[in-house]
Amino acid sequence: ETGVTQTPRHLVMGMTNKKSLKCEQHLGHNAMYWYKQSAKKPLELMFVYSLEERVENNSVPSRFSPECPNSSHLFLHLHTLQPEDSALYLCASSQDSGRREQYFGPGTRLTVT
Amino acid sequence: AQSVTQPDIHITVSEGASLELRCNYSYGATPYLFWYVQSPGQGLQLLLKYFSGDTLVQGIKGFEAEFKRSQSSFNLRKPSVHWSDAAEYFCAVGLPGGYQKVTFGTGTKLQVIP
């Protein structure tokens, strides 16, 4: 596997379910990001981890819970979501040394019913 | 805080025609600048980036962009568009230092007609 992978690619869940999104990067980077992409809205940064430490939490509701056990893996735990949380969730990684671009995974298309 | 404006929500061009997608940013100093492309159902792929130096940068798939400090712009260009270029294009601004906190524009959707 190369680059940034995300699983699952598609997820349908009810509002009372608990699920997790997984992201793995094979690029040797040390910063990882979660973004939310909704139709007709700009890409929203949700969380940033740098060297496995959360450095940014953009006022995201507590029903979204990130976890970064090591520099290669990032999870987004979901519980009691709302229909408006339906979106494409994108994971990205970069080298945490300033002049580095982000590399994105293919995303997880989440539908909350 | 930095911001990015992509004034064109949707652009249609004929295959073989030239393309220019506009991007303007707002930031006190020269930020890092990026263009990404997103095909339907996919993540974002980096086309090119500008950090410093030569203001005309070359990217993948035949794209180039020019940084114009006086106009706070970073427009994306391609001399001859192919049908496979149909996608959504995002301009992004990054702040120097530390992890890359990047602000994305709202995107320009490109349609290519035969």
Side-chain angles (χ1 to χ4, degrees):
Chain A
E1 291 269 23
T2 58
V4 181
T5 58
Q6 290 187 244
T7 54
R9 293 293 309 276
H10 299 272
L11 178 62
V12 179
M13 59 186 288
M15 290 192 283
T16 57
N17 291 160
K18 287 186 180 181
K19 296 285 185 184
S20 295
L21 310 185
K22 179 184 174 183
C23 174
E24 185 173 359
Q25 59 96 1
H26 309 267
L27 300 168
H29 292 164
N30 53 19
M32 296 187 78
Y33 311 75
W34 278 118
Y35 287 90
K36 177 183 179 183
Q37 187 177 36
S38 307
K40 300 181 181 173
K41 291 173 88 173
L43 209 57
E44 299 172 54
L45 178 65
M46 299 175 72
F47 301 104
V48 182
Y49 276 82
S50 176
L51 299 171
E52 298 148 45
E53 210 176 300
R54 192 190 310 179
V55 296
E56 182 111 9
N57 176 349
N58 263 2
S59 304
V60 179
S62 59
R63 57 186 184 269
F64 295 91
S65 174
E67 179 190 1
C68 187
N70 56 61
S71 60
S72 299
H73 294 86
L74 184 65
F75 295 89
L76 188 62
H77 304 299
L78 316 171
H79 64 98
T80 58
L81 294 190
Q82 305 298 310
E84 61 264 27
D85 297 322
S86 299
L88 183 68
Y89 288 85
L90 293 164
C91 173
S93 70
S94 72
Q95 191 62 20
D96 182 14
S97 59
R99 291 184 163 195
R100 293 295 184 266
E101 61 274 21
Q102 294 180 18
Y103 290 83
F104 284 80
T108 295
R109 173 66 63 185
L110 174 67
T111 304
V112 181
T113 60
Chain B
Q2 76 274 26
S3 66
V4 185
T5 302
Q6 292 181 250
D8 303 305
I9 297 172
H10 191 273
I11 280 185
T12 300
V13 299
S14 298
E15 192 168 12
S18 64
L19 172 70
E20 183 168 30
L21 302 183
R22 296 182 290 165
C23 173
N24 292 94
Y25 68 88
S26 172
Y27 183 57
T30 300
Y32 301 150
L33 297 161
F34 309 89
W35 274 101
Y36 286 85
V37 61
Q38 185 179 32
S39 298
Q42 299 297 316
L44 278 67
Q45 180 184 20
L46 181 72
L47 283 176
L48 46 78
K49 62 194 177 191
Y50 174 79
F51 292 143
S52 66
D54 193 346
T55 56
L56 185 63
V57 293
Q58 302 296 321
I60 62 171
K61 305 186 182 191
F63 285 92
E64 67 177 26
E66 186 171 13
F67 168 59
K68 292 187 177 179
R69 185 191 309 275
S70 61
Q71 297 175 21
S72 298
S73 69
F74 189 57
N75 294 348
L76 182 71
R77 301 193 295 245
K78 187 169 185 178
S80 178
V81 169
H82 188 261
W83 64 266
S84 60
D85 294 323
E88 191 155 19
Y89 293 79
F90 293 90
C91 181
V93 169
L95 295 178
Y99 68 90
Q100 278 289 319
K101 181 171 181 178
V102 176
T103 299
F104 287 83
T106 49
T108 297
K109 191 163 282 189
L110 174 66
Q111 181 182 9
V112 181
I113 56 176

